[in-house]
Amino acid sequence: MRWTLATALLGLASASPVRKRDTVTAQVNFSNNTGTPEHLASGILYGVPDTLNQIPSHFYENIGYNYERAGGAQVASPGLGWIWGLTEYKNRFKSVLSNYETAREYDATFILLIHDLWGADGTQNSSAPYPGDDGDWTSWDEYLAQLFSDLKANDMTTALVVDLWNEPDSTTFWNRDQTQYLQCWGRTYYKFRDEFGTAVELSGPASAGEPLSDNTWWGAWASFVASNDSIPDQYAWHMESGTGDLLSAQAGLIYWREKYSLPAKLININEYAIYTEQVPAGSAWWISQLERIDAHGLRGNWLSGTDLHNYLASLLGTTDSVYHPNGDYQVYKYYHQNMTGYRVGTLPSTDLKLDAYATVGSDYARVLVGVRVDEGTWELELNDLPSLGLAESGSLDIHTYGFPVASDVHYGEVDGPTDLGWVEHTYSGGSVTFPVYQTDETTAYVFEFAV
Ligand SMILES: *[C@@H]1O[C@H](CO)[C@@H](O)[C@H](O)[C@H]1NC(C)=O
Ligand SMILES: *[C@@H]1O[C@H](CO)[C@@H](O)[C@H](O)[C@H]1NC(C)=O
Ligand SMILES: *[C@@H]1O[C@H](CO)[C@@H](O)[C@H](O)[C@H]1NC(C)=O
Ligand SMILES: *[C@@H]1O[C@H](CO)[C@@H](O)[C@H](O)[C@H]1NC(C)=O
Ligand SMILES: *[C@@H]1O[C@H](CO)[C@@H](O)[C@H](O)[C@H]1NC(C)=O
């Protein structure tokens, strides 16, 4: 037994010439330029009031708001959607049109949720009809004809993406079998293409589950869209379980793509993060995950009723009806306004708790780090410093900012990061490593140094 173990260890050592990462260290590789920042994580699910300009414009502009996803969910009667009649549909459509106009005002792309406009927004009762019930598509076809006419009449086809259904793998939104869903997908895909060509992008499956290789629901979807030749322009799914990570999910997508010869397309995680992750540390973690795989991301929304259509998906609060930013908002503001220049590659700690997003600007290199809602001590390793024009060894002055939350975590006002001062680090071998002390589950940190 001893002999076997020793041989195995030897084999492992010789097979990995690169130094093995330990569980607690995240890395930045400053010589790995990964392109221009587009703040890919600055999208939101709902979060926009139905009254135009209710939230002052600087709140959208300062975070580089670039993606909106809505379909009139949870608008009260008379706005319950198509399955309750034409008037209920028309009032729900008004909410959609208003949200679309807000998105266009800031050049944000709009993802239309046709399941919500139909009325299957999660609050529908158990006798709610679904497209194609008992093989009858009449109501669904009439609904799409009405929708197409309204999209055209209101000039809504610019920067429009249509999600062909939301979370069809969850009974909350699709309380029928997968076969009926796939028929709905194929039918609806071709109706949109026939009407709008490729001017309107199609997206899906916007599943609750990740495309992991053991997810047979995803396998059946991938097989169908390949044989039906109804491949969407964006692969979309949700990351809202509090577990999972994007390198694994992306590997799963590649597995299904290769199995059914599907092409690469833009990835859009059009709902990301659970409510407890919607704090500076969690947001920094998600930003790092999304940027690494070049995926767009839209913050999930855990508010309901009229609050669903407000607060930019938990980035704002109000005092006497006057809006203020919360702590999480400040992360997105820094991410958009300060993390300019070019991005560089990073790796999370192997326990996947600490992750980092880094950019190099004309004045400073900047690293945003976040722990996925946990406490402890992790380490950050900054590699290839000479690629920034710094010496192979010497001392490096690093400026730290903390991004805290208010005592009212999701609604309390925070007006900016906290300046935690400068620390001098001596380093050698072109690399510096220092600890990240995570003494609460919410604070994100930024480390900056002059280049
Ligand atoms: C860092 O990135 C550079 C350039 O892409 C690459 O050559 C090098 O192998 C990377 N270093 C590590 C440790 O991955
Ligand atoms: C259930 O919802 C449908 C619309 O989907 C509606 O026509 C029906 O009246 C509702 N039933 C009850 C008991 O509310
Ligand atoms: C795709 O699926 C839909 C729904 O079943 C069907 O109507 C359509 O004919 C299919 N198209 C192709 C090219 O297979
Ligand atoms: C971020 O950039 C803005 C605009 O240039 C600047 O006013 C602000 O001080 C910067 N914030 C930090 C924390 O460096
Ligand atoms: C550079 O970083 C990207 C994104 O993190 C990563 O996919 C790629 O493998 C890295 N390249 C090298 C050579 O390390």
Side-chain angles (χ1 to χ4, degrees), residues 2-20:
R2 259 189 201 174
W3 179 85
T4 313
L5 184 64
T7 310
L9 285 172
L10 202 65
L12 191 70
S14 60
S16 355
V18 178
R19 190 156 55 86
K20 202 175 164 293

Side-chain angles (χ1 to χ4, degrees), residues 60-249:
Y60 296 92
E61 287 160 1
N62 291 348
I63 59 167
Y65 164 70
N66 58 17
Y67 249 101
E68 176 62 37
R69 185 170 181 261
Q74 301 191 22
V75 171
S77 186
L80 297 176
W82 177 264
I83 58 177
W84 292 82
L86 193 59
T87 306
E88 298 279 349
Y89 159 85
K90 283 183 184 288
N91 281 319
R92 192 160 276 208
F93 187 84
K94 277 185 196 155
S95 163
V96 175
L97 176 58
S98 163
N99 290 177
Y100 176 79
E101 285 176 0
T102 298
R104 292 313 302 139
E105 193 175 337
Y106 302 103
D107 274 328
T109 301
F110 188 83
I111 304 176
L112 171 61
L113 293 172
I114 58 176
H115 76 290
D116 278 341
L117 200 45
W118 166 263
D121 62 359
T123 67
Q124 75 275 22
N125 67 39
S126 58
S127 54
Y130 287 80
D133 276 352
D134 304 317
D136 184 354
W137 295 92
T138 315
S139 184
W140 182 247
D141 290 349
E142 285 170 3
Y143 164 67
L144 290 180
Q146 177 74 46
L147 175 62
F148 292 171
S149 139
D150 289 337
L151 292 176
K152 286 179 172 171
N154 291 286
D155 210 8
M156 284 174 72
T157 55
T158 304
L160 183 68
V161 178
V162 175
D163 243 343
L164 294 179
W165 199 269
N166 176 66
E167 301 196 352
D169 55 342
S170 150
T171 54
T172 307
F173 297 100
W174 184 266
N175 200 9
R176 294 293 185 269
D177 63 21
Q178 191 179 9
T179 305
Q180 187 174 333
Y181 161 69
L182 294 175
Q183 294 306 305
C184 184
W185 174 281
R187 187 180 194 88
T188 311
Y189 180 97
Y190 282 102
K191 280 192 176 284
F192 269 98
R193 284 287 197 251
D194 288 350
E195 192 75 28
F196 302 105
T198 51
V200 170
E201 282 191 46
L202 302 177
S203 154
S207 54
E210 302 167 41
L212 302 177
S213 60
D214 63 359
N215 184 342
T216 54
W217 187 97
W218 247 87
W221 178 84
S223 167
F224 178 83
V225 303
S227 67
N228 189 243
D229 196 18
S230 47
I231 300 150
D233 303 300
Q234 303 189 357
Y235 293 120
W237 70 88
H238 297 164
M239 298 292 293
E240 294 191 310
S241 66
T243 59
D245 72 282
L246 280 174
L247 280 177
S248 308

Side-chain angles (χ1 to χ4, degrees), residues 333-334 337-339 366 399 401 403 417 446 448:
K333 185 177 175 186
Y334 181 89
Q337 293 195 332
N338 304 82
M339 301 193 77
R366 300 179 165 90
H399 193 187
Y401 286 99
F403 287 73
V446 156
E448 297 181 340

Side-chain angles (χ1 to χ4, degrees), residues 46-67:
Y46 285 97
V48 173
D50 293 349
T51 303
L52 290 174
N53 305 313
Q54 181 176 315
I55 295 176
S57 56
H58 65 89
F59 285 111
Y60 296 92
E61 287 160 1
N62 291 348
I63 59 167
Y65 164 70
N66 58 17
Y67 249 101

